[in-house]
Structure formats: structure tokens, C-alpha cells
Amino acid sequence: MKSGAARGRLRVPIPDDSTRITVIVSLPDSPQAIADATWADLEPLYEGLVSAPIQDPKAWLLEWSRLEEIIEEAGTLAMIAYTCDTADEAKETANLRWSSEIFPKAMEMQVRLARRLVEVGYTEPGLETVLRGFKSDIEIFREENVPLFSELEMLVAGYQKITGGLTVEWNGEKKTVPQLQPFLKDRDRSVREKAFRLGAQAYMDQRSEMASLFDQMFAKRQEVARNAGFPDFQAYAFRSKHRFDYTPDDCAAFHRAVEATVAPAVERLMAHRRQKLGIDAVLPWDTQIELEGARPLKPFSDLAGLIEPARRVFTSLDPELGEQFNRMADEGLLDLESRPGKAPGGYCTKLAWRGMPFIFMNAVGVPDDVSTLVHEAGHSFHDFASHKQPYVWQRNVTHEAAELASMSMELLAAPYLELPTGYYPPTEARTARAEHLEDVLVTLAHIASVDAFQAWIYTSGQGGDAAARDAAWLDVRARFERGVDWTGLEPERVSRWYRQLHIFEYPFYYIEYGIAQLGALQLWRASLADPRGTVLRYREALALGGTASLPDMYRAAGAKLIFNERDMGELVALVESELNQLRQDS
Ligand SMILES: [Zn+2]
């Protein structure tokens, strides 16, 4: 990837006065107007709404919604600025002010406002799920948890600081861990091994510091749960994450189903890999090399090479989706390339007031980058579609719904990744597709690992013991990840969970990817017979935003929630048969 390529920059939005209905408090003109605000500046805005008589509930609710949009976007802008430049102290301070000082206090106010709304008994069509969420939030809210949330945010910032600062020496050059990714696909096994070991070592070196951060997170999370009357943080997390439609038992069933259907399929994939590469055993640095072709796939070499084909891919899939992606690209809402100081990973976030999404990632020129962009674009299409809902809460969806949008997009856009529309000549397109499907199976096994591990952490009684945690991770891993030989590499294997930022930053956020992947596979299955109808149902489901229950949202898209072995096994078989077909064709 070229250095110094064009960088995403946020434009200052023009306030649209036609949608402002100022009836109760004087709202700031824009998120930018409160960029430097402290809680003392914002509190009166909430207090104004708390103390105002609710004569016209709809007007009051719209006003509150507008306030949330502005505050949410101001905090998001601070987060974007920081993750794009973690070395800048002023950006760090500003982000921390929003995440650890303002948002936990705002949450307290939101519960007070929700309580008022529930007390007046107001409802309207499309608000039922929002009100159900409000009632649940009110029930589990505890004043004494507010400072704990702030402290947890500080610990999260500590984890981000460690991971954002990780660099390795690669042939005399300083690189980020994500920048090692291309070398894990190198034809030369010793290059792959070196890249793998360097990446793992970077995390192993920070192990004790990260373990002690996690010890503190664990203790505070369990305290939050106890304060709210739950036996453990898992039970609390199910409620706070609005998991109204499935239980920890369903997740345990999911783990068993993965063990029965996905793990053996992954083992077959690894056996094929071993044979294809002509090696005795698949070692951890052999899992990412492409099996076909003489050299690693290089779908693009600069930023334009990533963005321009994406415009064509989405337009070919659906003109309106293409239009939306073009707007993001043209309005500077993409920051895609990896560079030192940038936080790792990728995300799509939304500018709630402006009504536009923003995509962040660390592209280095590998096929994964194309998948990540397509994935995050799926989230952005969800934001566009749901922004049509009148209230901010109706546009917020739970992760199971959000990831259905992004993971389905990866599968629905796949037929267009071939040149001249997309990135690859036909043979390479088949390789990329096989890689994606292989990744679907490997990822399902990883998801089960991460979810089962977190369930163990918060319910075993030993989650506060750093050594027991590492040992438990190894057990869990052995259950789901088969076909790779980790003999003598236990510390490297352990380092994998320290790399999983969700466990630190968003506890229990992971099974959603599994539920959504199985939903996405159902959409893909439908698209094989009816591509156009599937995209239309997809868009209809996205437009529901947060106004439908999770099963209803999935139903609208033509899918259902799957936790059982039979349904999961059918989808795994479909993926395997497609993989076999692709292998025969190439
Ligand atoms: Zn996602």
C-alpha cells in the first residue's frame, strides 16, 4: 500500500433546520459545537428534558432523540479521531472524556428519561421494541454502577493503548502487527513462521500487563452484575445486551453443534491443506497461505485500487447500495489504510446526527481487506436504511441484526468480486471465494471458542485467576480448533485470546457473529435460486432498524436463528460442497 495516500477527513455538516423542533431545551447547532464539552455543559440539556412537563410526548421524544443524535455523534467523532491517531495526546484525552466521563453519565440520564416516558405510558407503532429495551435498562440500572462503567472505560483505554502501540521489527523496518498479515501468506514457509512468531511474541511480551488489566476488568464486571442483582456477569450481559430471544443454554447448544458439525469440517479442510502443501502437519503459520496459484493474491496495490472496484461491486449488486457507497467514498467517510499509530482492526460507526456511516480499517493489500471493506459496507447500508426511522433508538440494532447485514453482504457481493467489476481475474476469484468459505468455517469454530471461553470466565468461579484463564483457553481451543498442530507452541496459542479485543472491550460480544453467519448463509442459499429477491428482502430487513424483534428481523430477511446441530449441519454441508466444486473448477 502506498504511503501518504488520501486520508478520510470529516466534513463539517450543515445543520438542517427543517428537522429541528426545539420545544424544550435549546439544542447545540451541531456535534462540532460541543466537541470540547464537559459533562457540566451537557447535563443541563438533559435536566431540561427531565424536568419539562410531558404534555406532548411525541414532541418531547423527538427532542430527546435529537439531543442523543448530537451527543452520540460528538462522541463518535472523538473516537474516530483517536483511533485514527492513537499517538496524539489531545485526541486521546478528548476520546477518554467522552467515553469515560460523558457517556456513563449520559446513560444515567437516559435511564431517567426512559423512566419518565414509561411512566406516562406513551407508545406508538414501531416503538414497542424500543420501549421493551427501555424497561429492561430501567430494571437493571444501578446508580452505584455508573462509576464502575467509567473505570471500565479507563481500563479499555489502557488495553487500546497497549495494542495500538505494538510494533515489530521486520527486516530492519518497524511494522504494526496487522502489517505482518501479507507475510503469513508467503510461499516461503520460513517467512510465514517468522511473521507468525513475531506477531505472537508482540502479544506474549505484554501478557502480564494485559492479564492484570483483565483481572481488574473481571472484578469490576462481576461487581456490576452483583450490584444489579445478577449471579454473574454473563447473566447481566444477556440482559444489558437485550438478548431477549436466546439464553446461555442456547449458546451452549450452539457450542455443541459447532463441535459436531463445524470442527470436523475444519479438520477436513486442514487435511486437504496438508496434502495440497505437501507437509507433514499443518502448523499455525500454514493456515493462511492460499492453496491455489503460484503467488499470494494481491487484489489491489493502493487505496484507489481498493475503493474504485468496490463502487462497481455494490452498484452491480444493487444500484441504490452502490449510490450509498459512492457517497461515503466521495464525502471522505472512509479511512482504510494501515499506518503506525492507528488502532488495529476495522469498524463501521455511524454519525447519528448527520445520518452517515464511517468506515475504519487497516488495509495492507491482502484479500482480507476486500472482505473487511465489503463487511463494513454491509453495516453502512444498514445505517443508511435505518436512518429513515424517526427516533434515534429505532435506528440502533443489536449486534445479531447488525452482523447479519455485514456478513450477508460478504456472501451476496461475492459473485461480483471478479474482474472487470471487482478485483480478481477468474481463477483468482475462485481462490478468493474458496478462501472466504474456508474462513466462514474456521471463524465459526473461533466464535465458539471465544464465546465458550467468556462463559467460562464469568461463570466458573476461576475467571479472576490469570493462569487458570490461560489454561481454560487452551482447553476450549482444543475442543473447537482441530487439524492444526500446536505442539510446543502453547504460549503462542494462549496469546491468541489476548489479541481478541472483544474479550477486553466488548465482553460477550461474539456469539452474535455466529448467529449472524448462520443467518447470512441462509440468505446466500436463497440467493442461489433468487438473487434479486434476496437483495430486496435484505434491504427490507435492514430498513426495519431496531423496530422489529430479532426473530422478526431475520424472518424479513428470509432467515431464522440457528443454535441446533441439524440446521447448522445443513449449512456446513452446503459450504463444503461449494468448496469442493471450486476446487474441481480450478
Ligand atoms: Zn461487523
Side-chain angles (χ1 to χ4, degrees):
M1 168 139 308
K2 278 182 194 161
S3 61
R7 236 199 84 195
R9 202 176 62 83
L10 292 163
R11 291 188 185 168
V12 178
I14 302 148
D16 175 4
D17 284 308
S18 64
T19 57
R20 292 268 313 268
I21 316 165
T22 307
V23 286
I24 296 145
V25 292
S26 172
L27 291 176
D29 285 337
S30 69
Q32 281 77 9
I34 54 166
D36 300 321
T38 61
W39 177 244
D41 300 320
L42 301 175
E43 191 176 15
L45 299 174
Y46 280 107
E47 287 293 357
L49 282 164
V50 170
S51 57
I54 307 184
Q55 278 147 354
D56 180 350
K58 193 176 175 73
W60 181 87
L61 197 55
L62 278 168
E63 182 89 351
W64 175 21
S65 176
R66 201 69 181 151
L67 173 65
E68 295 297 352
E69 283 178 9
I70 294 175
I71 289 184
E72 188 185 317
E73 181 163 326
T76 301
L77 292 173
M79 186 273 288
I80 291 171
Y82 170 63
T83 50
C84 288
D85 187 7
T86 57
D88 185 310
E89 270 180 42
K91 290 175 185 168
E92 182 184 359
T93 309
N95 180 48
L96 213 53
R97 190 177 71 251
W98 282 98
S99 65
S100 71
E101 179 195 326
I102 296 173
F103 283 131
K105 294 222 171 71
M107 198 178 84
E108 187 176 0
M109 284 296 191
Q110 287 152 10
V111 171
R112 282 172 69 187
L113 291 168
R115 196 172 278 138
R116 289 209 64 199
L117 187 74
V118 169
E119 276 164 14
V120 299
Y122 179 72
T123 189
E124 64 177 71
L127 209 59
E128 299 84 356
T129 50
V130 170
L131 289 167
R132 176 176 67 170
F134 279 174
K135 284 173 190 157
S136 177
D137 294 345
I138 292 167
E139 267 175 50
I140 68 169
F141 177 79
R142 297 293 182 278
E143 187 104 42
E144 60 268 35
N145 279 340
V146 176
L148 287 170
F149 291 133
S150 294
E151 288 160 33
L152 278 162
E153 285 301 327
M154 301 293 283
L155 294 168
V156 163
Y159 174 77
Q160 286 173 337
K161 197 158 179 63
I162 294 173
T163 55
L166 290 182
T167 52
V168 298
E169 276 267 314
W170 183 265
N171 299 337
E173 212 184 314
K174 202 166 153 182
K175 287 199 182 293
T176 63
V177 177
Q179 282 172 334
L180 289 174
Q181 196 64 19
F183 304 108
L184 289 169
K185 292 172 173 287
D186 202 283
R187 291 275 132 193
D188 183 339
R189 203 179 192 191
S190 67
V191 171
R192 300 201 297 273
E193 178 175 356
K194 188 178 157 192
F196 170 83
R197 286 185 184 276
L198 271 176
Q201 192 63 47
Y203 280 85
M204 282 151 67
D205 290 345
Q206 303 293 328
R207 186 258 177 202
S208 60
E209 205 173 329
M210 290 198 276
S212 105
L213 268 179
F214 194 83
D215 285 342
Q216 299 169 62
M217 288 176 172
F218 172 80
K220 288 192 198 305
R221 284 172 185 154
Q222 296 286 56
E223 195 182 340
V224 162
R226 280 193 302 272
N227 286 343
F230 292 91
D232 56 62
F233 186 72
Q234 183 188 43
Y236 174 84
F238 268 68
R239 276 300 289 281
S240 72
K241 292 169 73 54
H242 293 175
R243 290 180 177 176
F244 300 119
D245 304 292
Y246 64 99
T247 64
D249 284 345
D250 290 324
C251 293
F254 183 97
H255 305 156
R256 288 192 300 275
V258 166
E259 201 176 355
T261 64
V262 179
V266 170
E267 200 166 12
R268 287 189 286 276
L269 288 177
M270 294 304 149
H272 173 75
R273 181 162 282 271
R274 179 165 48 78
Q275 180 217 338
K276 200 81 186 166
L277 293 173
I279 52 181
D280 292 339
V282 175
L283 298 176
W285 45 88
D286 298 321
T287 59
Q288 297 196 39
I289 178 176
E290 286 134 16
L291 297 179
E292 316 294 337
R295 58 197 159 81
L297 298 186
K298 198 158 173 29
F300 60 95
S301 55
D302 60 18
L303 208 50
L306 175 59
I307 295 172
E308 295 310 313
R311 294 179 189 262
R312 298 192 294 268
V313 167
F314 296 126
T315 306
S316 305
L317 177 63
D318 181 276
E320 191 167 329
L321 298 181
E323 180 61 32
Q324 291 168 358
F325 183 81
N326 287 336
R327 278 192 67 193
M328 296 185 71
D330 296 340
E331 295 184 29
L333 294 162
L334 308 171
D335 187 326
L336 307 183
E337 86 277 21
S338 182
R339 40 168 203 277
K342 201 167 159 179
Y347 63 75
C348 174
T349 186
K350 73 176 157 225
L351 305 174
W353 180 78
R354 187 171 157 186
M356 291 291 285
F358 174 88
I359 295 179
F360 170 101
M361 55 183 274
N362 279 280
V364 290
V366 296
D368 259 1
D369 298 331
V370 173
S371 319
T372 302
L373 180 59
V374 172
H375 176 101
E376 302 303 343
H379 286 309
S380 73
F381 299 142
H382 211 167
D383 291 338
F384 277 110
S386 59
H387 195 75
K388 297 182 181 86
Q389 298 286 347
Y391 302 111
V392 72
W393 309 279
Q394 293 173 314
R395 304 171 204 153
N396 294 339
V397 298
T398 56
H399 296 305
E400 300 87 351
E403 298 302 333
L404 180 69
S406 55
M407 292 175 140
S408 299
M409 185 44 61
E410 287 186 61
L411 288 159
L412 297 178
Y416 304 98
L417 296 184
E418 194 173 310
L419 283 167
T421 312
Y423 299 87
Y424 305 107
T427 330
E428 294 192 357
R430 277 199 298 277
T431 306
R433 183 147 179 76
E435 276 220 320
H436 177 199
L437 294 174
E438 195 169 322
D439 191 55
V440 164
L441 297 178
V442 170
T443 302
L444 278 169
H446 179 66
I447 290 163
S449 302
V450 173
D451 191 62
F453 180 55
Q454 295 196 86
W456 179 90
I457 287 178
Y458 295 102
T459 61
S460 69
Q462 298 177 70
D465 178 335
R469 277 197 305 264
D470 290 354
W473 172 255
L474 288 177
D475 288 345
V476 164
R477 219 44 183 171
R479 187 178 159 200
F480 298 107
E481 188 198 51
R482 297 189 209 147
V484 179
D485 186 359
W486 285 87
T487 311
L489 294 164
E490 281 75 18
E492 283 81 357
R493 198 174 201 186
V494 164
S495 78
R496 183 61 185 84
W497 85 259
Y498 290 94
R499 211 165 158 161
Q500 195 62 54
L501 63 87
H502 299 72
I503 299 174
F504 288 81
E505 300 183 24
Y506 313 105
F508 282 103
Y509 177 12
Y510 223 67
I511 189 76
E512 292 92 330
Y513 292 114
I515 293 168
Q517 183 63 267
L518 296 169
L521 289 171
Q522 295 171 73
L523 264 72
W524 172 54
R525 181 167 61 190
S527 79
L528 297 175
D530 178 16
R532 187 66 199 143
T534 305
V535 172
L536 292 177
R537 277 191 297 280
Y538 168 87
R539 287 184 41 195
E540 275 165 30
L542 266 48
L544 290 169
T547 63
S549 74
L550 191 60
D552 285 346
M553 189 271 182
Y554 270 54
R555 207 168 292 128
K560 61 179 179 181
L561 306 181
I562 289 178
F563 299 95
N564 71 79
E565 186 180 326
R566 195 177 61 90
D567 289 327
M568 196 184 293
E570 271 180 30
L571 294 168
V572 170
L574 178 68
V575 172
E576 276 198 289
S577 98
E578 177 81 2
L579 268 169
N580 288 333
Q581 190 61 50
L582 287 164
R583 279 174 194 152
Q584 275 162 26
D585 290 348
S586 58

